[in-house]
Amino acid sequence: MIIPDRDLEEWLYEIIRQCTPDNLDRLQRGAFFRNLYLSGDENGDAAIYNKTFDSIEDLTSYICTTTDLRYLVSYPGGGSALQRAQAEAIGHELMDNSRATELDTLFEEATRWALVKGITFIKMLWTVNGLEPHLVMPEFMGVLRADINSLDQQEAFVHSTYLTRDQFRILIKDHPDSKRIYKRAIQFSAQTRSADGPDQAAMLKQVIVGGFQPYQGVGGVGAANPQTTNGMVQWLAGPYPSFDPKIITELVRVDELWIRDDSRIDDEGRREWSTFQLVGNIVLFGKEQRMNIFADAIDPANKQLSRKPFEANPLAFKQPFVEFCPNRLQNYFWGRSEVANLALLQ
């Protein structure tokens, strides 16, 4: 994509909007399948026997088991005896890192929820603590072209997350204009909450941070015995975490936008990713300097503090998201839930 120099903030904000037109629909659909998986009923009412749960668990164990996880590293053509020994050592090192960070169990969890919701992601980060993987649900992602089946083929995609004000302050503490950005971001969040009509961000926060809704469980108006059944149903189903209302109202949505940048091309014509972090139309990162924050980390051993050229960087043209999509659909990025095959039978 050709990224403009003028009115960049509004252009990026519009790209994020174009990446997330169906977030509310996918959020509600994911909650529907989650209820069926955990309780056996689309409304979260506990079924006498939840066969859906057993079916998903059995299928997950067939597809991915952490005890069988292995890494295979090989050289083109087989390599020499020394290279084969090095490859085997690298595989063991990867296994040790996976077990130390519980990445092996995260693979299984990502597979399970991909069967339920259609697709999931693991975001692979390298921090001061080493490897740091995170499971990302599909309602926190958005793509520019939902008819393209791979993130690597997208022109742009976005990952959204919600931070408390303290977390957000830590995120921007090294920014030279952190005080002004913090004030503007808090004002934008307040304006979003006070806007008329349903708000997708508010709906996301509702599902993230608490409440048994959006689907009404047993014990509502007209139920036979609401005082004795409502709490039990929430325990038997899959309750969401509860938070203090003040935390909910103060959450700040941060969007991480990844764009294929036409101005950053190597000799072979490959376009590098440029990363932008925003709160609404407020750019936190990427305005002054375009870079792939996954690949373009500064090398401490480099005294000139310059980034490596594309050909010297093994992470160039890569992004940190690993997709898990067991049931792919032609021309539909978000896949198909396995629960769709069991819902009416259950």
Side-chain angles (χ1 to χ4, degrees), residues 216-255:
Q216 182 178 356
V218 170
V221 177
N225 194 355
Q227 287 77 19
T228 58
T229 59
N230 187 50
M232 181 185 72
V233 167
Q234 293 197 32
W235 299 334
L236 292 177
Y240 292 97
S242 297
F243 291 83
D244 186 275
K246 184 178 180 181
I247 293 180
I248 298 175
T249 59
E250 292 183 350
L251 288 175
V252 178
R253 173 178 166 174
V254 178
D255 295 314

mmCIF file of all heavy atoms in Angstrom, residues 216-255:
data_model
loop_
_atom_site.group_PDB
_atom_site.id
_atom_site.type_symbol
_atom_site.label_atom_id
_atom_site.label_comp_id
_atom_site.label_asym_id
_atom_site.label_seq_id
_atom_site.Cartn_x
_atom_site.Cartn_y
_atom_site.Cartn_z
ATOM 1 N N GLN A 216 -28.655 -14.385 27.256
ATOM 2 C CA GLN A 216 -29.350 -14.490 28.532
ATOM 3 C C GLN A 216 -29.394 -15.929 28.987
ATOM 4 O O GLN A 216 -29.801 -16.822 28.253
ATOM 5 C CB GLN A 216 -30.771 -13.936 28.388
ATOM 6 C CG GLN A 216 -31.557 -13.961 29.694
ATOM 7 C CD GLN A 216 -32.946 -13.366 29.511
ATOM 8 O OE1 GLN A 216 -33.274 -12.884 28.439
ATOM 9 N NE2 GLN A 216 -33.738 -13.423 30.544
ATOM 10 N N GLY A 217 -28.986 -16.159 30.224
ATOM 11 C CA GLY A 217 -28.991 -17.497 30.781
ATOM 12 C C GLY A 217 -30.252 -17.776 31.554
ATOM 13 O O GLY A 217 -31.140 -16.932 31.684
ATOM 14 N N VAL A 218 -30.365 -18.982 32.075
ATOM 15 C CA VAL A 218 -31.506 -19.344 32.907
ATOM 16 C C VAL A 218 -31.527 -18.443 34.132
ATOM 17 O O VAL A 218 -30.493 -18.123 34.711
ATOM 18 C CB VAL A 218 -31.401 -20.829 33.325
ATOM 19 C CG1 VAL A 218 -32.433 -21.170 34.382
ATOM 20 C CG2 VAL A 218 -31.589 -21.709 32.106
ATOM 21 N N GLY A 219 -32.724 -18.083 34.561
ATOM 22 C CA GLY A 219 -32.835 -17.224 35.735
ATOM 23 C C GLY A 219 -33.254 -15.828 35.387
ATOM 24 O O GLY A 219 -33.327 -14.963 36.258
ATOM 25 N N GLY A 220 -33.551 -15.551 34.108
ATOM 26 C CA GLY A 220 -34.012 -14.228 33.713
ATOM 27 C C GLY A 220 -35.477 -14.060 34.020
ATOM 28 O O GLY A 220 -36.109 -14.843 34.732
ATOM 29 N N VAL A 221 -36.058 -13.015 33.450
ATOM 30 C CA VAL A 221 -37.460 -12.733 33.692
ATOM 31 C C VAL A 221 -38.304 -13.893 33.188
ATOM 32 O O VAL A 221 -38.162 -14.356 32.067
ATOM 33 C CB VAL A 221 -37.879 -11.427 32.985
ATOM 34 C CG1 VAL A 221 -39.366 -11.177 33.173
ATOM 35 C CG2 VAL A 221 -37.065 -10.272 33.528
ATOM 36 N N GLY A 222 -39.193 -14.366 34.040
ATOM 37 C CA GLY A 222 -40.084 -15.442 33.636
ATOM 38 C C GLY A 222 -39.555 -16.819 33.952
ATOM 39 O O GLY A 222 -40.231 -17.805 33.717
ATOM 40 N N ALA A 223 -38.336 -16.927 34.483
ATOM 41 C CA ALA A 223 -37.811 -18.244 34.826
ATOM 42 C C ALA A 223 -38.545 -18.791 36.036
ATOM 43 O O ALA A 223 -39.061 -18.053 36.868
ATOM 44 C CB ALA A 223 -36.321 -18.156 35.110
ATOM 45 N N ALA A 224 -38.566 -20.116 36.153
ATOM 46 C CA ALA A 224 -39.326 -20.732 37.218
ATOM 47 C C ALA A 224 -38.766 -20.412 38.587
ATOM 48 O O ALA A 224 -39.499 -20.160 39.530
ATOM 49 C CB ALA A 224 -39.365 -22.253 36.997
ATOM 50 N N ASN A 225 -37.432 -20.411 38.698
ATOM 51 C CA ASN A 225 -36.839 -20.181 40.006
ATOM 52 C C ASN A 225 -35.537 -19.428 39.836
ATOM 53 O O ASN A 225 -34.463 -20.011 39.953
ATOM 54 C CB ASN A 225 -36.592 -21.525 40.710
ATOM 55 C CG ASN A 225 -36.295 -21.336 42.193
ATOM 56 O OD1 ASN A 225 -36.186 -20.211 42.672
ATOM 57 N ND2 ASN A 225 -36.169 -22.452 42.905
ATOM 58 N N PRO A 226 -35.575 -18.126 39.549
ATOM 59 C CA PRO A 226 -34.370 -17.391 39.188
ATOM 60 C C PRO A 226 -33.369 -17.284 40.315
ATOM 61 O O PRO A 226 -32.174 -17.261 40.083
ATOM 62 C CB PRO A 226 -34.918 -16.000 38.800
ATOM 63 C CG PRO A 226 -36.248 -15.896 39.471
ATOM 64 C CD PRO A 226 -36.793 -17.286 39.492
ATOM 65 N N GLN A 227 -33.833 -17.276 41.566
ATOM 66 C CA GLN A 227 -32.897 -17.081 42.664
ATOM 67 C C GLN A 227 -31.952 -18.270 42.840
ATOM 68 O O GLN A 227 -30.807 -18.122 43.222
ATOM 69 C CB GLN A 227 -33.672 -16.853 43.986
ATOM 70 C CG GLN A 227 -34.324 -15.488 44.076
ATOM 71 C CD GLN A 227 -35.601 -15.387 43.259
ATOM 72 O OE1 GLN A 227 -36.189 -16.401 42.906
ATOM 73 N NE2 GLN A 227 -36.011 -14.172 42.947
ATOM 74 N N THR A 228 -32.447 -19.476 42.527
ATOM 75 C CA THR A 228 -31.641 -20.660 42.799
ATOM 76 C C THR A 228 -30.915 -21.192 41.578
ATOM 77 O O THR A 228 -30.013 -22.003 41.713
ATOM 78 C CB THR A 228 -32.526 -21.787 43.363
ATOM 79 O OG1 THR A 228 -33.548 -22.068 42.402
ATOM 80 C CG2 THR A 228 -33.155 -21.357 44.678
ATOM 81 N N THR A 229 -31.316 -20.756 40.371
ATOM 82 C CA THR A 229 -30.716 -21.351 39.181
ATOM 83 C C THR A 229 -29.680 -20.470 38.511
ATOM 84 O O THR A 229 -28.783 -20.976 37.853
ATOM 85 C CB THR A 229 -31.806 -21.680 38.140
ATOM 86 O OG1 THR A 229 -32.482 -20.465 37.797
ATOM 87 C CG2 THR A 229 -32.783 -22.689 38.688
ATOM 88 N N ASN A 230 -29.784 -19.168 38.646
ATOM 89 C CA ASN A 230 -28.936 -18.286 37.857
ATOM 90 C C ASN A 230 -27.462 -18.493 38.146
ATOM 91 O O ASN A 230 -26.650 -18.676 37.255
ATOM 92 C CB ASN A 230 -29.328 -16.832 38.098
ATOM 93 C CG ASN A 230 -28.592 -15.887 37.166
ATOM 94 O OD1 ASN A 230 -28.570 -16.118 35.970
ATOM 95 N ND2 ASN A 230 -27.991 -14.864 37.707
ATOM 96 N N GLY A 231 -27.082 -18.487 39.437
ATOM 97 C CA GLY A 231 -25.684 -18.658 39.790
ATOM 98 C C GLY A 231 -25.147 -20.005 39.377
ATOM 99 O O GLY A 231 -24.046 -20.127 38.867
ATOM 100 N N MET A 232 -25.965 -21.062 39.574
ATOM 101 C CA MET A 232 -25.527 -22.411 39.229
ATOM 102 C C MET A 232 -25.265 -22.529 37.739
ATOM 103 O O MET A 232 -24.290 -23.150 37.322
ATOM 104 C CB MET A 232 -26.579 -23.421 39.667
ATOM 105 C CG MET A 232 -26.188 -24.870 39.363
ATOM 106 S SD MET A 232 -27.481 -26.042 39.757
ATOM 107 C CE MET A 232 -28.643 -25.683 38.458
ATOM 108 N N VAL A 233 -26.130 -21.916 36.918
ATOM 109 C CA VAL A 233 -25.941 -21.996 35.475
ATOM 110 C C VAL A 233 -24.640 -21.332 35.063
ATOM 111 O O VAL A 233 -23.913 -21.820 34.211
ATOM 112 C CB VAL A 233 -27.145 -21.346 34.750
ATOM 113 C CG1 VAL A 233 -26.834 -21.139 33.281
ATOM 114 C CG2 VAL A 233 -28.369 -22.234 34.902
ATOM 115 N N GLN A 234 -24.310 -20.206 35.684
ATOM 116 C CA GLN A 234 -23.066 -19.538 35.343
ATOM 117 C C GLN A 234 -21.869 -20.408 35.704
ATOM 118 O O GLN A 234 -20.872 -20.412 35.000
ATOM 119 C CB GLN A 234 -22.987 -18.187 36.057
ATOM 120 C CG GLN A 234 -24.014 -17.188 35.556
ATOM 121 C CD GLN A 234 -23.672 -15.774 35.959
ATOM 122 O OE1 GLN A 234 -22.504 -15.426 36.075
ATOM 123 N NE2 GLN A 234 -24.683 -14.964 36.166
ATOM 124 N N TRP A 235 -21.962 -21.146 36.802
ATOM 125 C CA TRP A 235 -20.839 -22.017 37.160
ATOM 126 C C TRP A 235 -20.731 -23.200 36.203
ATOM 127 O O TRP A 235 -19.645 -23.621 35.821
ATOM 128 C CB TRP A 235 -21.026 -22.546 38.593
ATOM 129 C CG TRP A 235 -21.065 -21.465 39.617
ATOM 130 C CD1 TRP A 235 -20.493 -20.217 39.549
ATOM 131 C CD2 TRP A 235 -21.744 -21.510 40.872
ATOM 132 N NE1 TRP A 235 -20.771 -19.493 40.665
ATOM 133 C CE2 TRP A 235 -21.535 -20.258 41.524
ATOM 134 C CE3 TRP A 235 -22.504 -22.465 41.531
ATOM 135 C CZ2 TRP A 235 -22.052 -19.950 42.769
ATOM 136 C CZ3 TRP A 235 -23.009 -22.163 42.779
ATOM 137 C CH2 TRP A 235 -22.790 -20.938 43.385
ATOM 138 N N LEU A 236 -21.880 -23.782 35.834
ATOM 139 C CA LEU A 236 -21.865 -24.950 34.972
ATOM 140 C C LEU A 236 -21.468 -24.610 33.541
ATOM 141 O O LEU A 236 -20.972 -25.461 32.822
ATOM 142 C CB LEU A 236 -23.246 -25.621 34.973
ATOM 143 C CG LEU A 236 -23.671 -26.277 36.288
ATOM 144 C CD1 LEU A 236 -25.077 -26.832 36.164
ATOM 145 C CD2 LEU A 236 -22.708 -27.382 36.689
ATOM 146 N N ALA A 237 -21.740 -23.379 33.134
ATOM 147 C CA ALA A 237 -21.335 -22.956 31.796
ATOM 148 C C ALA A 237 -19.899 -22.437 31.848
ATOM 149 O O ALA A 237 -19.086 -22.944 32.606
ATOM 150 C CB ALA A 237 -22.301 -21.878 31.287
ATOM 151 N N GLY A 238 -19.565 -21.453 31.040
ATOM 152 C CA GLY A 238 -18.212 -20.906 31.032
ATOM 153 C C GLY A 238 -18.240 -19.438 31.386
ATOM 154 O O GLY A 238 -18.288 -18.602 30.474
ATOM 155 N N PRO A 239 -18.238 -19.085 32.651
ATOM 156 C CA PRO A 239 -18.363 -17.669 33.024
ATOM 157 C C PRO A 239 -17.166 -16.858 32.569
ATOM 158 O O PRO A 239 -16.052 -17.364 32.466
ATOM 159 C CB PRO A 239 -18.449 -17.717 34.553
ATOM 160 C CG PRO A 239 -17.762 -18.987 34.940
ATOM 161 C CD PRO A 239 -18.072 -19.957 33.825
ATOM 162 N N TYR A 240 -17.412 -15.577 32.303
ATOM 163 C CA TYR A 240 -16.355 -14.638 31.971
ATOM 164 C C TYR A 240 -15.812 -14.031 33.259
ATOM 165 O O TYR A 240 -16.510 -13.983 34.269
ATOM 166 C CB TYR A 240 -16.891 -13.520 31.071
ATOM 167 C CG TYR A 240 -17.292 -13.968 29.699
ATOM 168 C CD1 TYR A 240 -18.620 -14.257 29.396
ATOM 169 C CD2 TYR A 240 -16.345 -14.099 28.691
ATOM 170 C CE1 TYR A 240 -18.982 -14.658 28.119
ATOM 171 C CE2 TYR A 240 -16.710 -14.494 27.412
ATOM 172 C CZ TYR A 240 -18.030 -14.777 27.136
ATOM 173 O OH TYR A 240 -18.384 -15.181 25.885
ATOM 174 N N PRO A 241 -14.571 -13.526 33.249
ATOM 175 C CA PRO A 241 -14.036 -12.886 34.467
ATOM 176 C C PRO A 241 -14.785 -11.601 34.771
ATOM 177 O O PRO A 241 -15.317 -10.946 33.873
ATOM 178 C CB PRO A 241 -12.572 -12.603 34.095
ATOM 179 C CG PRO A 241 -12.564 -12.541 32.601
ATOM 180 C CD PRO A 241 -13.603 -13.510 32.143
ATOM 181 N N SER A 242 -14.829 -11.257 36.061
ATOM 182 C CA SER A 242 -15.485 -10.029 36.491
ATOM 183 C C SER A 242 -14.442 -9.037 36.984
ATOM 184 O O SER A 242 -13.456 -9.423 37.624
ATOM 185 C CB SER A 242 -16.494 -10.325 37.610
ATOM 186 O OG SER A 242 -17.526 -11.165 37.130
ATOM 187 N N PHE A 243 -14.675 -7.757 36.690
ATOM 188 C CA PHE A 243 -13.756 -6.696 37.075
ATOM 189 C C PHE A 243 -14.533 -5.565 37.727
ATOM 190 O O PHE A 243 -15.753 -5.437 37.540
ATOM 191 C CB PHE A 243 -12.988 -6.167 35.854
ATOM 192 C CG PHE A 243 -12.007 -7.136 35.270
ATOM 193 C CD1 PHE A 243 -12.405 -8.112 34.379
ATOM 194 C CD2 PHE A 243 -10.666 -7.078 35.611
ATOM 195 C CE1 PHE A 243 -11.514 -9.008 33.841
ATOM 196 C CE2 PHE A 243 -9.750 -7.969 35.075
ATOM 197 C CZ PHE A 243 -10.170 -8.929 34.188
ATOM 198 N N ASP A 244 -13.817 -4.747 38.447
ATOM 199 C CA ASP A 244 -14.417 -3.554 39.007
ATOM 200 C C ASP A 244 -14.916 -2.661 37.872
ATOM 201 O O ASP A 244 -14.218 -2.487 36.869
ATOM 202 C CB ASP A 244 -13.382 -2.809 39.852
ATOM 203 C CG ASP A 244 -13.986 -1.638 40.592
ATOM 204 O OD1 ASP A 244 -14.081 -0.553 39.982
ATOM 205 O OD2 ASP A 244 -14.363 -1.795 41.769
ATOM 206 N N PRO A 245 -16.115 -2.072 37.998
ATOM 207 C CA PRO A 245 -16.644 -1.224 36.919
ATOM 208 C C PRO A 245 -15.717 -0.081 36.531
ATOM 209 O O PRO A 245 -15.687 0.330 35.368
ATOM 210 C CB PRO A 245 -17.967 -0.704 37.494
ATOM 211 C CG PRO A 245 -18.366 -1.722 38.510
ATOM 212 C CD PRO A 245 -17.086 -2.242 39.081
ATOM 213 N N LYS A 246 -14.948 0.429 37.490
ATOM 214 C CA LYS A 246 -14.045 1.537 37.172
ATOM 215 C C LYS A 246 -12.973 1.094 36.186
ATOM 216 O O LYS A 246 -12.590 1.853 35.282
ATOM 217 C CB LYS A 246 -13.395 2.071 38.442
ATOM 218 C CG LYS A 246 -12.515 3.299 38.196
ATOM 219 C CD LYS A 246 -11.928 3.840 39.483
ATOM 220 C CE LYS A 246 -11.056 5.068 39.190
ATOM 221 N NZ LYS A 246 -10.456 5.609 40.434
ATOM 222 N N ILE A 247 -12.476 -0.127 36.342
ATOM 223 C CA ILE A 247 -11.472 -0.636 35.414
ATOM 224 C C ILE A 247 -12.060 -0.732 34.013
ATOM 225 O O ILE A 247 -11.423 -0.368 33.018
ATOM 226 C CB ILE A 247 -10.951 -2.009 35.885
ATOM 227 C CG1 ILE A 247 -10.170 -1.865 37.188
ATOM 228 C CG2 ILE A 247 -10.071 -2.652 34.808
ATOM 229 C CD1 ILE A 247 -9.630 -3.162 37.723
ATOM 230 N N ILE A 248 -13.311 -1.197 33.919
ATOM 231 C CA ILE A 248 -13.948 -1.348 32.613
ATOM 232 C C ILE A 248 -14.057 0.001 31.913
ATOM 233 O O ILE A 248 -13.742 0.126 30.728
ATOM 234 C CB ILE A 248 -15.343 -1.981 32.781
ATOM 235 C CG1 ILE A 248 -15.216 -3.386 33.383
ATOM 236 C CG2 ILE A 248 -16.060 -2.047 31.435
ATOM 237 C CD1 ILE A 248 -16.540 -4.033 33.689
ATOM 238 N N THR A 249 -14.507 1.027 32.652
ATOM 239 C CA THR A 249 -14.721 2.334 32.031
ATOM 240 C C THR A 249 -13.420 3.031 31.658
ATOM 241 O O THR A 249 -13.425 3.929 30.817
ATOM 242 C CB THR A 249 -15.523 3.246 32.974
ATOM 243 O OG1 THR A 249 -14.813 3.397 34.216
ATOM 244 C CG2 THR A 249 -16.892 2.665 33.242
ATOM 245 N N GLU A 250 -12.305 2.612 32.260
ATOM 246 C CA GLU A 250 -11.034 3.287 31.996
ATOM 247 C C GLU A 250 -10.152 2.546 31.008
ATOM 248 O O GLU A 250 -9.037 2.977 30.727
ATOM 249 C CB GLU A 250 -10.264 3.482 33.312
ATOM 250 C CG GLU A 250 -10.919 4.483 34.260
ATOM 251 C CD GLU A 250 -10.105 4.721 35.506
ATOM 252 O OE1 GLU A 250 -9.121 3.954 35.711
ATOM 253 O OE2 GLU A 250 -10.422 5.647 36.270
ATOM 254 N N LEU A 251 -10.618 1.422 30.458
ATOM 255 C CA LEU A 251 -9.800 0.682 29.506
ATOM 256 C C LEU A 251 -9.557 1.506 28.247
ATOM 257 O O LEU A 251 -10.441 2.216 27.764
ATOM 258 C CB LEU A 251 -10.474 -0.634 29.132
ATOM 259 C CG LEU A 251 -10.485 -1.721 30.201
ATOM 260 C CD1 LEU A 251 -11.289 -2.919 29.716
ATOM 261 C CD2 LEU A 251 -9.080 -2.148 30.579
ATOM 262 N N VAL A 252 -8.341 1.399 27.725
ATOM 263 C CA VAL A 252 -7.945 2.124 26.513
ATOM 264 C C VAL A 252 -7.684 1.101 25.417
ATOM 265 O O VAL A 252 -6.882 0.177 25.591
ATOM 266 C CB VAL A 252 -6.677 2.971 26.761
ATOM 267 C CG1 VAL A 252 -6.251 3.683 25.480
ATOM 268 C CG2 VAL A 252 -6.905 3.974 27.885
ATOM 269 N N ARG A 253 -8.375 1.269 24.290
ATOM 270 C CA ARG A 253 -8.167 0.366 23.160
ATOM 271 C C ARG A 253 -6.969 0.838 22.344
ATOM 272 O O ARG A 253 -6.913 1.983 21.899
ATOM 273 C CB ARG A 253 -9.407 0.325 22.269
ATOM 274 C CG ARG A 253 -9.187 -0.460 20.978
ATOM 275 C CD ARG A 253 -10.430 -0.537 20.142
ATOM 276 N NE ARG A 253 -10.153 -0.982 18.783
ATOM 277 C CZ ARG A 253 -11.072 -1.243 17.868
ATOM 278 N NH1 ARG A 253 -12.351 -1.090 18.176
ATOM 279 N NH2 ARG A 253 -10.726 -1.629 16.660
ATOM 280 N N VAL A 254 -5.998 -0.072 22.154
ATOM 281 C CA VAL A 254 -4.808 0.218 21.351
ATOM 282 C C VAL A 254 -4.822 -0.709 20.136
ATOM 283 O O VAL A 254 -4.932 -1.927 20.271
ATOM 284 C CB VAL A 254 -3.514 0.011 22.163
ATOM 285 C CG1 VAL A 254 -2.286 0.259 21.287
ATOM 286 C CG2 VAL A 254 -3.492 0.924 23.383
ATOM 287 N N ASP A 255 -4.739 -0.118 18.952
ATOM 288 C CA ASP A 255 -4.731 -0.874 17.701
ATOM 289 C C ASP A 255 -3.311 -0.932 17.144
ATOM 290 O O ASP A 255 -2.643 0.098 17.032
ATOM 291 C CB ASP A 255 -5.644 -0.213 16.670
ATOM 292 C CG ASP A 255 -7.109 -0.229 17.088
ATOM 293 O OD1 ASP A 255 -7.570 -1.292 17.526
ATOM 294 O OD2 ASP A 255 -7.768 0.823 16.971
#
